Tab-separated table of all heavy atoms in Angstrom:
chain	number	residue	atom	x	y	z
P	3	LYS	N	-37.862	-41.209	-76.816
P	3	LYS	CA	-38.139	-40.187	-75.800
P	3	LYS	C	-38.160	-38.813	-76.442
P	3	LYS	O	-37.331	-38.503	-77.290
P	3	LYS	CB	-37.065	-40.217	-74.705
P	3	LYS	CG	-37.121	-41.458	-73.848
P	3	LYS	CD	-36.074	-41.358	-72.741
P	3	LYS	CE	-36.134	-42.570	-71.838
P	3	LYS	NZ	-35.117	-42.498	-70.757
P	4	LYS	N	-39.114	-38.003	-76.035
P	4	LYS	CA	-39.193	-36.647	-76.565
P	4	LYS	C	-38.117	-35.779	-75.945
P	4	LYS	O	-37.865	-35.837	-74.738
P	4	LYS	CB	-40.562	-36.046	-76.257
P	4	LYS	CG	-41.685	-36.658	-77.077
P	4	LYS	CD	-42.996	-35.959	-76.778
P	4	LYS	CE	-44.119	-36.544	-77.624
P	4	LYS	NZ	-45.414	-35.874	-77.339
P	5	LEU	N	-37.462	-35.002	-76.790
P	5	LEU	CA	-36.424	-34.085	-76.314
P	5	LEU	C	-37.079	-32.852	-75.702
P	5	LEU	O	-37.843	-32.154	-76.360
P	5	LEU	CB	-35.525	-33.670	-77.484
P	5	LEU	CG	-34.358	-32.729	-77.142
P	5	LEU	CD1	-33.373	-33.412	-76.197
P	5	LEU	CD2	-33.662	-32.268	-78.405
P	6	ARG	N	-36.811	-32.633	-74.419
P	6	ARG	CA	-37.388	-31.492	-73.733
P	6	ARG	C	-36.304	-30.517	-73.298
P	6	ARG	O	-35.278	-30.933	-72.759
P	6	ARG	CB	-38.175	-31.944	-72.497
P	6	ARG	CG	-39.431	-32.703	-72.845
P	6	ARG	CD	-40.234	-32.996	-71.599
P	6	ARG	NE	-41.470	-33.681	-71.925
P	6	ARG	CZ	-42.366	-34.030	-71.027
P	6	ARG	NH1	-42.172	-33.781	-69.742
P	6	ARG	NH2	-43.475	-34.651	-71.393
P	7	ILE	N	-36.554	-29.254	-73.563
P	7	ILE	CA	-35.618	-28.208	-73.150
P	7	ILE	C	-36.023	-27.736	-71.764
P	7	ILE	O	-37.148	-27.290	-71.555
P	7	ILE	CB	-35.632	-27.027	-74.136
P	7	ILE	CG1	-35.239	-27.507	-75.531
P	7	ILE	CG2	-34.681	-25.930	-73.678
P	7	ILE	CD1	-35.446	-26.478	-76.619
P	8	LYS	N	-35.107	-27.881	-70.825
P	8	LYS	CA	-35.408	-27.470	-69.455
P	8	LYS	C	-35.128	-25.975	-69.314
P	8	LYS	O	-34.009	-25.512	-69.513
P	8	LYS	CB	-34.562	-28.261	-68.468
P	8	LYS	CG	-34.997	-28.039	-67.024
P	8	LYS	CD	-34.238	-28.934	-66.075
P	8	LYS	CE	-34.708	-28.683	-64.648
P	8	LYS	NZ	-33.979	-29.535	-63.682
P	9	ILE	N	-36.149	-25.226	-68.977
P	9	ILE	CA	-36.023	-23.771	-68.820
P	9	ILE	C	-36.078	-23.456	-67.331
P	9	ILE	O	-36.994	-23.898	-66.636
P	9	ILE	CB	-37.160	-23.035	-69.559
P	9	ILE	CG1	-37.150	-23.419	-71.041
P	9	ILE	CG2	-37.013	-21.532	-69.419
P	9	ILE	CD1	-38.329	-22.905	-71.817
P	10	PRO	N	-35.108	-22.704	-66.817
P	10	PRO	CA	-35.116	-22.365	-65.383
P	10	PRO	C	-36.390	-21.614	-64.991
P	10	PRO	O	-36.927	-20.830	-65.769
P	10	PRO	CB	-33.883	-21.460	-65.230
P	10	PRO	CG	-33.026	-21.752	-66.412
P	10	PRO	CD	-33.957	-22.139	-67.515
P	11	GLU	N	-36.878	-21.905	-63.783
P	11	GLU	CA	-38.087	-21.240	-63.282
P	11	GLU	C	-37.852	-19.743	-63.095
P	11	GLU	O	-38.678	-18.925	-63.447
P	11	GLU	CB	-38.501	-21.863	-61.938
P	11	GLU	CG	-39.006	-23.283	-62.045
P	11	GLU	CD	-40.389	-23.365	-62.642
P	11	GLU	OE1	-41.165	-22.411	-62.479
P	11	GLU	OE2	-40.700	-24.383	-63.290
P	12	ARG	N	-36.710	-19.401	-62.504
P	12	ARG	CA	-36.398	-18.011	-62.197
P	12	ARG	C	-35.472	-17.450	-63.267
P	12	ARG	O	-34.578	-18.150	-63.747
P	12	ARG	CB	-35.719	-17.930	-60.823
P	12	ARG	CG	-35.388	-16.531	-60.367
P	12	ARG	CD	-34.625	-16.565	-59.031
P	12	ARG	NE	-34.060	-15.264	-58.740
P	12	ARG	CZ	-32.912	-14.814	-59.222
P	12	ARG	NH1	-32.184	-15.567	-60.027
P	12	ARG	NH2	-32.461	-13.612	-58.919
P	13	PHE	N	-35.686	-16.204	-63.634
P	13	PHE	CA	-34.850	-15.558	-64.651
P	13	PHE	C	-33.433	-15.368	-64.112
P	13	PHE	O	-33.222	-14.646	-63.141
P	13	PHE	CB	-35.455	-14.203	-65.033
P	13	PHE	CG	-34.652	-13.457	-66.053
P	13	PHE	CD1	-34.327	-14.035	-67.268
P	13	PHE	CD2	-34.219	-12.161	-65.797
P	13	PHE	CE1	-33.591	-13.343	-68.213
P	13	PHE	CE2	-33.485	-11.463	-66.737
P	13	PHE	CZ	-33.170	-12.057	-67.945
P	14	PRO	N	-32.436	-16.013	-64.736
P	14	PRO	CA	-31.049	-15.935	-64.234
P	14	PRO	C	-30.312	-14.689	-64.749
P	14	PRO	O	-29.236	-14.784	-65.349
P	14	PRO	CB	-30.417	-17.224	-64.774
P	14	PRO	CG	-31.153	-17.469	-66.064
P	14	PRO	CD	-32.554	-16.950	-65.869
Side-chain angles (χ1 to χ4, degrees):
K3 291 183 178 180
K4 288 183 179 180
L5 181 64
R6 291 186 178 181
I7 300 170
K8 189 174 180 180
I9 303 172
E11 291 286 331
R12 182 184 168 277
F13 179 55

